[in-house]
Amino acid sequence: MSKKNYAGIPDKYARIDEAKVVLIPVPYDGTSTWQKGADKGPDAFLEASENMEVYDIETRSEVYKKGVYLAPPVTENSSPEKMVEAVYKTTKNYIAQEKFVTLFGGEHSISIGSIRAFNESFEDLTVVQLDAHADLRPEYEGSKCNHACAMHEASKKTNLIQVGIRSMDISETEYMDENQVYFGHDLYEDWMDDAIGQMTPNVFITIDLDAFDPSILPSTGTPEPGGLFWYETLEFLKLMFKKKNVVGFDIVELCPNENEKSSDFLAAKLYYKMLSYKFKYQNYNEEDEDE
């Protein structure tokens, strides 16, 4: 990966000592089972970010001025277990520096390490997973750190809420709390409020980009029909940033296609939107907003 500032921002906003946000790229694709290429996701995301307008119309803000430090990528790939440990240690290190820590993968197995670090650092953590797949297998193809196992540890050690799920193996039903799953085929009118009501104060968000419908984001390793759309997803994210203390997030499973750049750009806009919501609403009080 070439070392540039995130989104091409000026150096004064990209220094670790000044930045409130840390972005950790994890170009790992060691266990994916269909389309390979998620290891190229971080570079494609960063390239798209450089071509993005950095004024957010909705929040009327330029959140990059809070400072975004682009950390050296986590490149450990000798085994899934060693990759997870490297992600865990790197994430924990930046959390300890009191940064708002974000990650961009790579395949979803990177989230095992990031969630482990956040769960140790924040009390009573809720993990909100936006995903097409349940990812609840305890082990797959000989490893507990396979992408198909990305949420198993979270299901045991955190308050896990799953949104957009529309593909799973029957064995995963054993580990799923269906009261906290919002299936893609059954997103009823008040599902967002119900999901918010199940969350603890501290929330970590993990977004597998295959949560989105492939009509708006086709470039992912395992696209599934019937996914989320742009504005409904933003509505849910904004609600979480308003109502809860979002302590960090990761975005995974961009599998770039040289002939299809809109997916890269959606990922770039999504990341920037989430930062914009974080700093717009971190001290949000409903009484202060004239709606």
Side-chain angles (χ1 to χ4, degrees):
M1 292 182 65
S2 56
K3 177 61 176 172
K4 300 178 181 177
N5 292 346
Y6 162 74
I9 62 177
D11 288 344
K12 67 178 180 177
Y13 298 118
R15 302 198 329 253
I16 183 64
D17 56 331
E18 295 291 334
K20 294 186 182 299
V21 178
V22 168
L23 166 58
I24 306 169
V26 190
Y28 179 79
D29 191 23
T31 75
S32 60
T33 48
W34 188 21
Q35 298 183 88
K36 290 287 187 179
D39 55 324
K40 306 294 193 300
D43 267 340
F45 157 77
L46 290 170
E47 181 183 349
S49 299
E50 290 182 17
N51 294 284
M52 176 185 67
E53 301 286 6
V54 290
Y55 173 70
D56 181 66
I57 298 171
E58 181 185 8
T59 59
R60 301 189 180 192
S61 66
E62 294 177 294
V63 73
Y64 77 89
K65 291 182 178 179
K66 299 292 183 182
V68 182
Y69 172 68
L70 179 58
V74 176
T75 56
E76 174 60 62
N77 63 4
S78 58
S79 73
E81 292 74 19
K82 288 183 178 179
M83 177 278 297
V84 164
E85 182 66 14
V87 170
Y88 160 76
K89 288 181 176 178
T90 303
T91 305
K92 197 83 181 288
N93 172 51
Y94 288 118
I95 293 173
Q97 297 179 47
E98 298 186 341
K99 303 296 185 181
F100 183 70
V101 182
T102 64
L103 301 91
F104 197 97
E107 62 168 67
H108 211 168
S109 57
I110 76 154
S111 300
I112 301 171
S114 59
I115 291 170
R116 190 178 296 168
F118 277 94
N119 193 37
E120 289 183 6
S121 303
F122 295 92
E123 186 176 351
D124 198 12
L125 187 70
T126 290
V127 172
V128 178
Q129 170 200 7
L130 279 66
D131 202 329
H133 306 91
D135 291 346
L136 289 173
R137 288 174 169 90
E139 185 175 316
Y140 192 66
E141 295 188 337
S143 176
K144 296 179 180 179
C145 296
N146 189 284
H147 72 102
C149 314
M151 292 297 116
H152 184 79
E153 184 174 313
S155 73
K156 298 292 187 182
K157 297 187 176 181
T158 75
N159 177 45
L160 177 63
I161 295 172
Q162 301 179 286
V163 174
I165 307 301
R166 51 199 190 276
S167 180
M168 60 186 291
D169 185 75
I170 191 170
S171 65
E172 295 175 274
T173 58
E174 179 181 346
Y175 309 104
M176 175 177 277
D177 179 357
E178 291 198 21
N179 292 321
Q180 298 202 160
V181 180
Y182 296 86
F183 291 104
H185 70 276
D186 191 27
L187 293 179
Y188 52 90
E189 184 176 355
D190 296 324
W191 74 267
M192 294 185 193
D193 290 332
D194 289 349
I196 292 288
Q198 293 173 323
M199 297 176 196
T200 55
N202 292 326
V203 171
F204 177 83
I205 303 170
T206 180
I207 300 181
D208 185 325
L209 290 168
D210 65 28
F212 288 100
D213 193 83
S215 64
I216 67 167
L217 197 148
S219 296
T220 186
T222 314
E224 287 277 351
L228 302 173
F229 289 94
W230 180 246
Y231 285 111
E232 68 177 324
T233 303
L234 292 189
E235 182 183 355
F236 183 50
L237 291 171
K238 182 162 59 174
L239 201 58
M240 283 191 280
F241 280 100
K242 282 183 174 183
K243 302 282 189 180
K244 301 296 175 180
N245 176 35
V246 177
V247 297
F249 63 84
D250 65 32
I251 299 174
V252 300
E253 299 281 1
L254 176 64
C255 187
N257 177 344
E258 189 61 37
N259 299 313
E260 194 282 299
K261 296 294 189 181
S262 63
S263 296
D264 306 353
F265 201 78
L266 188 153
K269 290 285 283 190
L270 178 68
Y271 179 86
Y272 200 70
K273 270 289 186 186
M274 292 174 76
L275 290 190
S276 298
Y277 290 157
K278 171 63 181 177
F279 290 95
K280 173 73 172 181
Y281 298 119
Q282 62 181 350
N283 297 310
Y284 175 74
N285 185 326
E286 289 186 37
E287 296 176 358
D288 295 337
E289 185 167 302
D290 181 18
E291 300 202 278

